[in-house]
Amino acid sequence: CLIGAVNLKSSNRTPVVQEFESVELSCIITDSQTSDPRIEWKKIQNGETTYVFFDNKIQVKPVTPVCRVPKAVPVGKMAMLHCQESEGHPRPHYSWYRNDVPLPTDSRANPRFRNSSFHLNSETGTLVFSAVHKDDSGRYYCIASNDAGSARCEEQEMEVYDLNIGGIIGGVLVVLAVLALISLGICCAYRRGYFISSKQDGESYKNPGKADGVNYIRTDEEGDFRHKSSFLI
């Protein structure tokens, strides 16, 4: 039980209770320097606050948020960074840091970020760059916070690089040259007959060495070939 600028006492400081049974914890104000003191109950586990009870409501500390940061973005392109946390209650607010420096919700609101063009939605945790600049490179991390506490994700690197226009044009020219050589090779192959089929108009060529209706007979005496013709009627 936490109270500011007051004297208090609590009965039953070390209660022992069976699981699923009820228990009553008391926090009695004996003297106060304020007419409306704020009374909170906090659960401390492993040295950290896990949740807070205030105004008959439980406030749960956020867990480590999930952050998504693009690793590399070309100059002038849009970039979007995400930060989400699902267990904190009430819903946490989000803040982004670059190289340990907090970012404003709008880059135009701070002259320090005049070379940037980003907007931060603290309700959704989305950080959007409309067109990244070289100065936007750095280590980014997000912090989710509510009345019960805060949690941050691990920092991630985002690199902003220049587009190599000359290299892109050179690559396109190489591809076009390769396509031209392939086309030329195909044309030469057609001219030399490599792609002409042995069948034309549905008819196949036959061996001209033997005509239809001709039988070849070899005689032992003459040692050569003679033929006789037979005509089929």
Side-chain angles (χ1 to χ4, degrees):
C1 176
L2 299 178
I3 304 178
V6 297
N7 294 324
L8 58 90
K9 67 178 182 178
S10 177
S11 63
N12 195 12
R13 289 179 174 271
T14 56
V16 178
V17 63
Q18 297 294 326
E19 188 176 14
F20 304 118
E21 291 186 359
S22 63
V23 63
E24 181 177 322
L25 305 178
S26 63
C27 186
I28 303 171
I29 301 175
T30 59
D31 185 21
S32 174
Q33 299 177 9
T34 177
S35 59
D36 187 21
R38 175 187 175 101
I39 301 177
E40 294 180 354
W41 285 94
K42 292 186 177 182
K43 179 184 178 183
I44 309 299
Q45 186 173 1
N46 298 327
E48 295 187 357
T49 301
T50 56
Y51 68 81
V52 176
F53 183 79
F54 171 70
D55 195 21
N56 293 324
K57 297 178 182 179
I58 294 180
Q59 298 166 325
V60 181
K61 178 184 175 182
V63 297
T64 301
V66 176
C67 297
R68 298 195 301 273
V69 179
K71 293 184 178 180
V73 185
V75 170
K77 297 297 183 179
M78 187 190 77
M80 186 175 296
L81 286 67
H82 299 275
C83 181
Q84 291 182 329
E85 193 278 338
S86 59
E87 297 187 22
H89 182 80
R91 292 183 60 183
H93 287 75
Y94 300 95
S95 55
W96 277 96
Y97 290 75
R98 181 180 68 203
N99 299 331
D100 295 325
V101 176
L103 301 180
T105 56
D106 194 330
S107 58
R108 296 172 297 180
N110 191 327
R112 182 175 185 177
F113 302 96
R114 61 181 178 273
N115 291 330
S116 297
S117 59
F118 62 79
H119 178 77
L120 167 61
N121 188 327
S122 60
E123 299 293 330
T124 63
T126 303
L127 177 64
V128 179
F129 292 83
S130 58
V132 293
H133 189 270
K134 288 287 289 183
D135 292 341
D136 295 323
S137 294
R139 305 182 313 275
Y140 287 82
Y141 64 86
C142 168
I143 294 180
S145 307
N146 64 9
D147 294 338
S150 62
R152 57 164 284 182
C153 65
E154 293 294 328
E155 65 181 15
Q156 301 178 37
E157 186 84 19
M158 184 177 79
E159 177 189 0
V160 179
Y161 61 92
D162 292 316
L163 283 174
N164 187 355
I165 303 299
I168 294 175
I169 295 176
V172 171
L173 293 178
V174 169
V175 172
L176 293 177
V178 171
L179 292 176
L181 289 175
I182 293 175
S183 300
L184 181 61
I186 293 175
C187 291
C188 292
Y190 266 112
R191 290 180 180 178
R192 296 183 179 182
Y194 289 113
F195 294 98
I196 298 177
S197 175
S198 60
K199 296 183 179 181
Q200 295 182 351
D201 299 330
E203 297 181 358
S204 60
Y205 290 99
K206 296 182 179 180
N207 188 345
K210 179 180 178 182
D212 291 339
V214 177
N215 295 325
Y216 293 90
I217 301 175
R218 178 185 179 93
T219 60
D220 296 334
E221 296 84 1
E222 298 179 357
D224 61 351
F225 289 97
R226 294 186 180 182
H227 69 272
K228 77 176 176 178
S229 300
S230 62
F231 298 91
L232 299 177
I233 301 177

